[in-house]
Amino acid sequence: MTATTVLTARALLLDMDGTLVNSDAVVERCWRRWADRHGLDADEVMRVVHGRQGYASMAVLLPDRPMEQNLADNARMLAEETADMDGVVEVPGAAAFLASLAGLPHALVTSADVALSTARMAAAGLTPPAVRITAENVGASKPDPEGFLKGAAELGVAPEDCVVLEDSGAGIAAGRAAGMRVVGVGPRAGLHRPDVLVQDLTGMRAEGTADGAVRLHIG
């Protein structure tokens, strides 16, 4: 981007993995091991898993397997991921961007559970937003919009007045389904035509307005 884009919203809803935290190394390790255990092509698995809860990815990849098995397997995967923080770092600019959001309406909306989101934010040196919508809070995984709609409701903001920051196809689809504008972060996002695309959070900042809105500077 060669010029600054400014979006005005009543609240920001932030994905975690790939948006605030670069956890690609551990995600690759865990899911490639899972693919090997199930005799699946690891590259195909990696094209599916970003943005979704584990059980939802498993349902796509193993469509004939009972959901109870996916849920049990997902619990094991979450434990494995939570125990592995090697290579987890902030997305460039994330700490400064979160600092600019202090006192402004925003929430984390992640497919991770509380334990995993807490561990990854800490490993990346980031402080989680006070409002978090995690796997425990929803009955449906992204690309379902439930998480983003719950985030908006928790903040007391209409969905159409929210801006989502997301990196994955599933997350961008969820934001759109919720009726929200989407800022795509990173190369994965560029494949899914978000409203605005940035490579990382460097140079992004938010400020409050006199009428209580959030002005997002992108560029």
Side-chain angles (χ1 to χ4, degrees), residues 193-206:
R193 294 186 295 179
D195 296 292
V196 182
L197 177 66
V198 295
Q199 289 307 301
D200 56 35
L201 302 180
T202 303
M204 188 180 294
R205 64 181 177 87

Side-chain angles (χ1 to χ4, degrees), residues 48-60:
V48 170
V49 300
H50 291 291
R52 292 180 170 87
Q53 290 192 44
Y55 76 85
S57 296
M58 294 168 188
V60 172

Side-chain angles (χ1 to χ4, degrees), residues 20-215:
L20 299 174
V21 173
N22 183 344
S23 56
D24 282 359
V26 61
V27 171
E28 288 266 348
R29 283 194 295 273
C30 291
W31 279 100
R32 285 183 181 276
R33 284 196 298 267
W34 183 89
D36 186 61
R37 288 197 296 270
H38 293 280
L40 299 174
D41 179 83
D43 291 337
E44 178 58 30
V45 168
M46 295 313 303
R47 281 191 282 271
V48 170
V49 300
H50 291 291
R52 292 180 170 87
Q53 290 192 44
Y55 76 85
S57 296
M58 294 168 188
V60 172
L61 294 161
L62 297 173
D64 297 324
R65 191 166 77 158
M67 184 55 74
E68 312 86 77
Q69 291 185 34
N70 292 336
L71 292 170
D73 210 359
N74 182 54
R76 289 188 290 270
M77 177 69 78
L78 283 170
E80 188 178 341
E81 289 185 288
T82 303
D84 184 357
M85 292 294 129
D86 188 23
V88 175
V89 296
E90 72 164 309
V91 167
F97 176 60
L98 286 172
S100 77
L101 283 170
L104 302 177
H106 67 288
L108 189 73
V109 180
T110 175
S111 292
D113 63 6
V114 169
L116 182 56
S117 62
T118 300
R120 283 189 175 160
M121 291 289 282
L126 302 175
T127 301
V131 177
R132 276 193 284 177
I133 305 298
T134 63
E136 292 93 341
N137 303 123
V138 297
S141 170
K142 298 171 186 178
D144 191 281
E146 181 185 3
F148 287 125
L149 292 172
K150 284 197 169 182
E154 186 74 17
L155 294 170
V157 176
E160 62 269 23
D161 291 329
C162 294
V163 168
V164 166
L165 273 68
E166 262 286 359
D167 75 299
S168 71
I172 290 169
R176 285 201 178 116
M180 301 171 181
R181 290 164 290 166
V182 181
V183 175
V185 180
R188 278 192 296 269
L191 302 174
H192 303 282
R193 294 186 295 179
D195 296 292
V196 182
L197 177 66
V198 295
Q199 289 307 301
D200 56 35
L201 302 180
T202 303
M204 188 180 294
R205 64 181 177 87
E207 63 178 358
T209 66
D211 64 352
V214 179
R215 187 174 290 124

